[in-house]
Amino acid sequence: MLRRVLGAPHQQSGPYAGDATVLDGNTAVAVTEAAFSEAAALGASFPGDLADLAWRIEQQRRRVNLAGHPLAGVAAEGPRGVLAGAMGLALSGTRATVFLAGTDLAACRDLLSAAAGRRLPLVLHLSNRAIGAQASALGTGHEAVHLAADSGCFMLFAANVQEAVDFSLIARQAAEQALTTGIVVMDGEQTALALQDVRLPPPALLEKFLGSPGEKIPAPEPAQQLLFGETRRRVPRWHNPDRPVLLGGVQPPQVWAAGRAAERAFFGNQLSPALDRAFEQFAELTGRRHQRVSAYRAEDARLILVTQGASIETAEAAVDFLRARHRIKAGVLGLRCLSPFPGAELCRLLDRATTVCVLERTDTPLAQDPPLLRELRVALERAAENARSGGRLHPDYKLSTSHARRFLSVLYGLGGLPLSGADLVALCRRLETLQRSQVYLGLSFSPTTSLYPKRQVLLDRLRRSYPDIADLGIREPEPSAELRPDGALCVAIHHLAGERESDALSAELAAFLHRILGGGTRCRPALPSDAWGEHCVDRVSAAGGALRDYGDSGPANLLLVIDDALLPRLERGPDLGAGSRLLVVSPLPEETLWRQLSSSARAALKDEDAELHRMALPEGGRASQREFVLGAACGLLARSALLDISPRRLLANRAQALQQSVADVQPLLDAFESGLGAPQAIDTTTLARQPATDRASGDDEAPGLVRKLGSIDDGYDSLPRFWDQVGVLYQDGVSDELAPDPYLAVGAVPPLSAGFRDLSMLRQRLPALDPELCTGCGDCWAGCPDSAINALALSPARLIDAGIRRSGRDELRPVASKLAKRVADLCRNPATRMPTAGELLAQAYDTLE
């Protein structure tokens, strides 16, 4: 009520808007499909496999859909088997669906054409994933989308989770009316894997909007009336034993050509009206209006950003910033329907524009233009041709102005690279001086300096050989644009890859913040491609009103570090900046924790308005510890006035949330309550600004391997070259310094590079080896992730360095190498008794004195 009285943005709603919740895109579309579909073909690869899992959970939980029809999950092997299984279900008259990843769709492109050609009202859900090129990738790419554009299927591209759910219904109605296969597309880590606020469709909406697959409906077109009569089954049974026919047989060229031409003449024009009717009816029922092309502040815009997918929201937030701060008249055209391509609408909306930036998440090295820009140029040429012919050839394609337009191809987010709003703002501000027709966003091709000499030599050599690539990429080194609305929160959860509890924590935090604030929620999870034990960051953003930006363009309000092993890798910016609160989960004393931090992180805490807090985990199970950390994060946000809520109301809200999903609430609620006051502030003004902790002075595994292989050369298979130009960047946690170079273009990794990984910070236990049972088969090494059993064989230098780090006894560092040498000598002489830890410490102090 207060938000309405105080003028907060009004959320459109209709009689069937649905209840708000927080879900990731995969789960949301799977739950939605399980409400009205009858079967799903399962067997997708990542990230579509998570939608398969959500469907199986729904199938076990509810058994039947909302119409009372049993839910079935048909498992298949490989992407072709999955799509073939879904086609078989649709041919039998079953309302079916299928979840695929981008690589899956690329592998069965011919089956897509077969599904469309046989008039199957099937709806596919595509979670975008980049198709392999110089290497494989798990991040988002749009290559598969454009491969499927000419298959005969129509495609709706969702910008967020809500659109993915809504498009599932709209695509289903249009597919069953026009008898055309539809594809609903989501970006991977921005939508399919990301938690967002969403309203799931209520049962009454599904019944009114979609109906039952077996009910009789009037045949909507004369062509369908010839095939089925005046009425037909909503989902036709092409495979019907009572009416046997041959489908898909081999035809002579004359028959095949006539059938193909007839498909365009008699069925090609049915889809657009069916889509328009579905969009309009959905808006009337829910209040959420969707269009094939959305126009945001484009009426008076001279600069237009044309984009698709999750980048639409970021582009809209960037446009608001450009207009407010830099007086640049910019607008956004967001493509929701890629096939059929809305060329006529784009021409009308681009009429006044003088500069058009076409943002695409795919690169086509041997083509003149990327796919989206090619389609746009064709549409504008049609409009020009229509003007020359007096409006007879393409009557829908019209341009009232004849001024020249500048087109810029902007390639962003390749392989899953996040789209930064700050980079987009920088691009728009530099357009006047940018003398290129294509630019890469988020990449710097020619960094001026590097702290690593061998890397600097490579950059200088590339700069001399290719002087024209300096402005081929645009990347802002520091966040310079705040695109979030006032009052928005951003929490960055720093954790080690492979910790599932951290993933659960980000989901719980996002859902709870949405429950408190009641507005928009956006999450960006770390990619699961990160190696086990690597530093990962999950970002959770929430606001009381609409939220379009993921929070990458400014520092996080709260940095939650789950493991103190990450402290040396924590750097200043983009997360840690002015106004940030850093909360570390660690039992370390204050001074030891302070020494563990990197020098840049300590400088940020001392020089800027940033705070440092710590807390130790209590004893208990994982669920209670997760609740404790969640309570600590919420309590710190409330104490910092970032959340306008009292601890008492926090506890009441958490109790209500737990009662909806947990049987035994009280233990978890007690853990949450104890966490509210757990964070302890550390006064950084009393702590010394000492230099960063040195690395172990003993033997170093990676440089040791490099030294054994001799001098460096420039070959792609040279391990020393790889270490000096790439390995040291990952070792020091500054892999963001990597810039495009010929070595990265071929994607080759030299042998023995696995020895560069230092897992000493992750070692918690040593395996007990029984020599009498060991046969030397090596199965334990082969079956262990990252060969961690081998890596657990600690060198004396590593062991001593870890002990100094954990105990904070930095005064032992000057003699660490001597201690390591003494331990190594003792190990080489089996007759010598190994000293105890106490004896080693006593010797160390004697040496120090």
Side-chain angles (χ1 to χ4, degrees), residues 46-110:
F46 176 84
D49 57 343
L50 300 179
D52 285 356
L53 176 61
W55 174 277
R56 292 183 187 278
I57 293 173
E58 281 296 292
Q59 181 186 0
Q60 294 176 1
R61 184 178 70 88
R62 63 197 313 173
R63 303 293 181 182
V64 296
N65 63 14
L66 294 178
H69 300 156
L71 286 176
V74 180
E77 184 175 351
R80 298 183 65 82
V82 173
L83 184 52
M87 291 171 61
L89 290 168
L91 282 166
S92 66
T94 301
R95 182 178 275 172
T97 188
V98 63
F99 311 101
L100 296 174
T103 49
D104 299 334
L105 198 70
C108 47
R109 164 69 175 76
D110 56 327

Side-chain angles (χ1 to χ4, degrees), residues 492-496 535-537 559-563 566 570 575:
I493 302 176
H494 293 247
H495 62 96
L496 298 173
H535 183 185
C536 294
V537 183
L559 283 79
L560 182 57
V561 180
I562 303 298
D563 195 313
L566 293 172
L570 194 65
D575 290 341

